[in-house]
Amino acid sequence: MTNPRPGVVSPPGRTGTLGRQASPPDPAESPDRRGPAGRPTDEQVPADTRRGSPRSGEAGSGGGQEAEGILERARASVDPELRDALDSLPGSIRRVALYHFGWEHADGTPAAGNAGKAIRPALVLAAVRALGGDEASAVRVAAAVELIHNFTLLHDDVMDRDATRRHRPTAWTVFGDADAILAGDALQALAQRLLAEDPHPASSAAAARLASCVVELCEGQHADSAMEKRGPAEVTLDECLVMAEAKTGALLGCACALGALYAGAGDEDVEALDAFGRAAGLAFQLIDDVIGIWGDPSRTGKAAGADLVVRKKSLPVVAALASGTAAAAELAELYGAPYREGELERTVLAVERAGGRDWAQAQAGDWMARAMQELSRAVPEPEAAGGLLALAEFVTRRSN
């Protein structure tokens, strides 16, 4: 699979040749589109992610409204397929899965909960549309991608001991670790069954690609967990970006690639859309990490700063630790010991003073520019690419 990851990214406070994207386009080919050293100019970067701009999620836009419409249509198309799949599960596992999706309360009574934003299935359908395919033919593969995403959420919540998701207690806190893990396993199996039973000619290639993506997701989660056991000075930005691509970018890239497959695209276009999704996925993860530290719990449904309490090596934190500033030294001291009650505000301020927040937001803009480059390889017409661009920009403007 195409890997758009640049070699090394400079932490805040460091200068030199680091931080340049690998193989940037020749400035002579588009002198009005690139800044020094191949970096994107401001007109390429979503306003909410530029250096010195308003914090992500504070500004609305017509593009955001377009993305929300795309997400609503995707949810309406995919939810019936998801419900049919979940209804086929054995009763005890079905109850956990329906609770996780927000469609039942813990006691099994119906609920009108939040099943998530449907970003990944929306990317599948938008990719099909961008390449001139039939969206209706791809609803099943879009549902399979959403099942895989929720399989990872169920397992991640257990491993990370997250107590809330989507404004309600996580499945493991309600039903126990074993039931949550088994429900996640069942969702992965359902995803593969959907593709195995799909008569579409691309279903076999899609199933193989999705299975490879799951292995990469597991690799990313393993790396993330392993980093928590290492000291604050032992984790580099480069390996954090590799981990983030595997854990987050891989599935967004796979979603776009599956849409291309179902549209009958050739190999080059499939790989370009995979690269687009991966780059957008890194932007997504950078903003997600920012929200994890500075987000509003009333909007995110999760406690702010929870990752700092467990000493997670998120991207803003590792960037801050690598900045060589006095605040970085303070943060390293805090991260070198278990969390003590009352330290959260001090830790948050240390990350911000060391440049972690600004670095992450600037990097999100850089990755969005890279995503747009990759998308233009497969879908050069802006009008056709509009849905995918709206979704990619949406992930860097989100606040929850």
Side-chain angles (χ1 to χ4, degrees), residues 96-174:
V96 179
L98 288 170
Y99 172 85
H100 168 76
F101 273 87
W103 293 332
E104 281 190 2
H105 295 295
D107 63 3
T109 57
N114 175 15
K117 295 182 178 64
I119 289 170
R120 292 152 191 84
L123 285 170
V124 174
L125 299 178
V128 174
R129 183 169 60 252
L131 292 169
D134 176 17
E135 281 187 69
S137 72
V139 169
R140 185 170 290 185
V141 70
V145 169
E146 186 71 343
L147 287 168
I148 291 297
H149 173 53
N150 282 276
F151 139 70
T152 67
L153 296 182
L154 280 160
H155 283 201
D156 285 359
D157 286 344
V158 173
M159 287 183 276
D160 295 342
R161 312 314 284 173
D162 284 336
T164 58
R165 180 174 294 282
R166 299 167 183 162
H167 305 278
R168 67 196 320 219
T170 45
W172 72 268
T173 66
V174 176

Side-chain angles (χ1 to χ4, degrees), residues 205-219:
R209 194 173 193 105
L210 190 58
S212 295
C213 179
V214 169
V215 174
E216 190 173 358
L217 293 171
C218 293
E219 178 187 21

Side-chain angles (χ1 to χ4, degrees), residues 181-206:
I181 292 168
L182 290 169
D185 293 341
L187 296 188
Q188 183 185 175
L190 283 180
Q192 290 296 334
R193 190 176 77 187
L194 282 180
L195 294 180
E197 295 174 349
D198 191 352
H200 195 285
S203 62
S204 179

Side-chain angles (χ1 to χ4, degrees), residues 160-400:
D160 295 342
R161 312 314 284 173
D162 284 336
T164 58
R165 180 174 294 282
R166 299 167 183 162
H167 305 278
R168 67 196 320 219
T170 45
W172 72 268
T173 66
V174 176
F175 300 99
D177 290 0
D179 283 359
I181 292 168
L182 290 169
D185 293 341
L187 296 188
Q188 183 185 175
L190 283 180
Q192 290 296 334
R193 190 176 77 187
L194 282 180
L195 294 180
E197 295 174 349
D198 191 352
H200 195 285
S203 62
S204 179
R209 194 173 193 105
L210 190 58
S212 295
C213 179
V214 169
V215 174
E216 190 173 358
L217 293 171
C218 293
E219 178 187 21
Q221 178 64 21
H222 179 270
D224 191 23
S225 298
M227 285 178 188
E228 293 183 33
K229 301 179 178 69
R230 293 160 60 184
E234 297 173 356
V235 177
T236 68
L237 267 178
D238 196 42
E239 63 182 322
C240 274
L241 286 167
V242 172
M243 177 273 293
E245 181 181 342
K247 185 176 176 180
T248 303
L251 188 54
L252 271 71
C254 184
C256 296
L258 295 183
L261 284 173
Y262 269 61
D267 290 347
E268 288 189 8
D269 288 347
V270 171
E271 296 306 327
L273 282 184
D274 183 86
F276 158 75
R278 285 171 178 267
L282 275 168
F284 183 105
Q285 186 60 57
L286 284 154
I287 294 303
D288 195 64
D289 285 352
V290 169
I291 291 169
I293 299 173
W294 292 280
D296 179 356
S298 69
R299 301 188 66 181
T300 65
K302 299 179 71 172
D307 287 350
L308 300 180
V309 171
V310 298
R311 303 313 195 211
K312 200 172 187 68
K313 311 298 193 304
S314 66
L315 286 162
V317 167
V318 176
L321 286 167
S323 67
T325 63
E330 179 185 3
L331 180 61
E333 181 181 352
L334 289 166
Y335 252 59
Y339 174 77
R340 292 189 293 270
E341 194 68 32
E343 283 185 344
L344 182 57
E345 184 177 357
R346 181 184 169 198
T347 308
V348 170
L349 288 173
V351 177
E352 185 147 19
R353 287 200 306 269
R357 182 173 186 169
D358 287 341
W359 176 89
Q361 291 182 306
Q363 282 292 311
D366 290 353
W367 280 108
M368 270 298 302
R370 183 62 179 249
M372 287 186 278
Q373 291 176 9
E374 299 292 354
L375 179 58
S376 68
R377 291 169 48 203
V379 191
E381 294 296 326
E383 186 174 345
L388 286 168
L389 280 174
L391 289 170
E393 292 183 358
F394 175 82
V395 305
T396 64
R397 290 196 173 105
R398 52 194 277 272
S399 59
N400 55 35

